[in-house]
Amino acid sequence: MKKYILAAVAMLCAAGARASVAQPDTIIKINDASKVVITESPRGVNYNVLGAASDSAMVFNYTQHYSPDARVRTRQSRSFHFYSISYPAGLGNSRWDIFTAGLGLGMVSAPGAPAGMQLELGKSFEINWLNAIGVRYRTSWNANVSLGMGFAWRNYRSTTALARMVPHDGNVCFEPWAEGSNGHHTAIKVFSMQFPLLYTQFAGVDILGSNLLFSAGAVLGVSTYASVKNGWTDQSGQAVRECFHGVGQRKVTVDFLGVAGTHLVGVYVRYSPQSVLTGEISPRFSSLSFGLMLAF
């Protein structure tokens, strides 16, 4: 019995030694190929190598055939990230894609506003979707240039105003609160479509698994709606609300935007040097906002 066990062990060792020295066949070895094309068909996989450092005219073609009873299966997967959703644009270049991103939440101030408006930074805010849809070109130096379309809503608000705001012939005028009433708030609200043209540079520094980036550019805004709202309590203690449309807002603006952060979250600053209102006697003030940019 001992002889049989020793013989079996010897056979296994010999088989292991033969397996350890077996080397795969080398079909061809090419250094610095200029182009390699791999295609697949029901027959097999074809490798086509064109050009080499030693011979630019070299052409090598090899097909690895499948066995007659082989079955080929393919699987596609698609992943989505919270910070952005993008798809290939189909423009003939893999550097292009179509994307949606950039939810901005921040506070807005009104540089140059008259003291009588008493606009409050802590009560005035801005909500914007920078790129509801956009197209982006990725450069070879770890940056991209994008052009998009989105929406912005700004609310310039005061809870301490000494007068109510009332539009008249395309102007916004100030009128005292009715005698015996108690003014609560007044606000100018502006809604606009926006078209940002941005340059984004990646710094090559990872923060919590996401790349640090800096973005800057111009945002063309087209105001489609604006209103003035007032709220007060009359002599009888009844709460009163009023809303006026057609306040004479500027229809087209050009803002300057800067963003620093990661794809997940960043901080932004946005400045519009033009006056928000255009009437001859309307209060003149520009717009300065800052806050968080999510999913940028």
Side-chain angles (χ1 to χ4, degrees):
M1 185 67 180
K2 185 176 180 180
K3 294 181 179 180
Y4 293 116
I5 294 176
L6 292 175
V9 171
M11 293 176 63
L12 290 174
C13 291
R18 287 195 300 269
S20 63
V21 299
Q23 298 293 331
D25 293 336
T26 300
I27 303 301
I28 188 172
K29 182 179 180 181
I30 301 173
N31 295 325
D32 300 325
S34 62
K35 187 176 182 181
V36 178
V37 180
I38 302 175
T39 58
E40 185 182 28
S41 69
R43 295 180 55 199
V45 180
N46 179 263
Y47 304 88
N48 192 17
V49 183
L50 305 175
S54 58
D55 183 4
S56 60
M58 184 275 297
V59 176
F60 172 75
N61 189 279
Y62 172 74
T63 300
Q64 180 182 354
H65 294 282
Y66 294 142
S67 62
D69 58 343
R71 298 174 63 186
V72 179
R73 295 182 179 180
T74 61
R75 184 178 67 177
Q76 295 180 345
S77 62
R78 181 174 297 171
S79 60
F80 297 89
H81 302 277
F82 169 74
Y83 54 77
S84 67
I85 300 176
S86 61
Y87 303 93
L91 300 179
N93 191 320
S94 60
R95 294 185 182 274
W96 290 92
D97 69 339
I98 297 172
F99 70 101
T100 175
L103 301 176
L105 306 171
M107 294 183 291
V108 61
S109 61
M117 294 184 69
Q118 296 186 308
L119 297 178
E120 300 171 83
L121 178 62
K123 303 292 179 65
S124 304
F125 54 90
E126 174 185 75
I127 301 174
N128 74 79
W129 188 359
L130 188 63
N131 285 299
I133 187 170
V135 60
R136 176 170 53 200
Y137 176 77
R138 303 177 186 274
T139 70
S140 58
W141 57 87
N142 204 23
N144 65 61
V145 179
S146 63
L147 176 63
M149 186 275 289
F151 312 95
W153 183 60
R154 294 169 180 166
N155 182 16
Y156 305 91
R157 180 181 172 89
S158 172
T159 59
T160 59
L162 302 177
R164 56 194 280 258
M165 289 187 289
V166 180
H168 179 69
D169 292 337
N171 292 276
V172 174
C173 309
F174 294 95
E175 293 185 359
W177 300 104
E179 186 176 353
S181 64
N182 183 19
H184 292 313
H185 62 81
T186 184
I188 296 177
K189 298 184 178 183
V190 179
F191 178 84
S192 60
M193 297 181 64
Q194 57 186 3
F195 303 89
L197 176 61
L198 303 176
Y199 174 84
T200 301
Q201 179 67 57
F202 295 90
V205 178
D206 284 342
I207 299 179
L208 298 177
S210 189
N211 209 311
L212 178 65
L213 60 85
F214 300 92
S215 185
V219 182
L220 176 67
V222 180
S223 177
T224 58
Y225 170 83
S227 65
V228 167
K229 293 188 176 182
N230 300 302
W232 71 92
T233 302
D234 62 17
Q235 294 179 349
S236 63
Q238 181 71 30
V240 181
R241 303 286 188 272
E242 63 181 1
C243 179
F244 301 96
H245 306 282
V247 300
Q249 80 276 14
R250 187 177 298 277
K251 299 296 185 182
V252 179
T253 61
V254 177
D255 303 353
F256 300 99
L257 175 71
V259 182
T262 67
H263 280 306
L264 183 62
V265 62
V267 294
Y268 78 92
V269 177
R270 180 169 176 169
Y271 176 62
S272 178
Q274 302 95 345
S275 176
V276 174
L277 304 177
T278 60
E280 295 181 359
I281 61 175
S282 295
R284 299 298 178 122
F285 60 93
S286 54
S287 179
L288 174 63
S289 58
F290 56 91
L292 296 178
M293 186 69 72
L294 307 177
F296 183 73

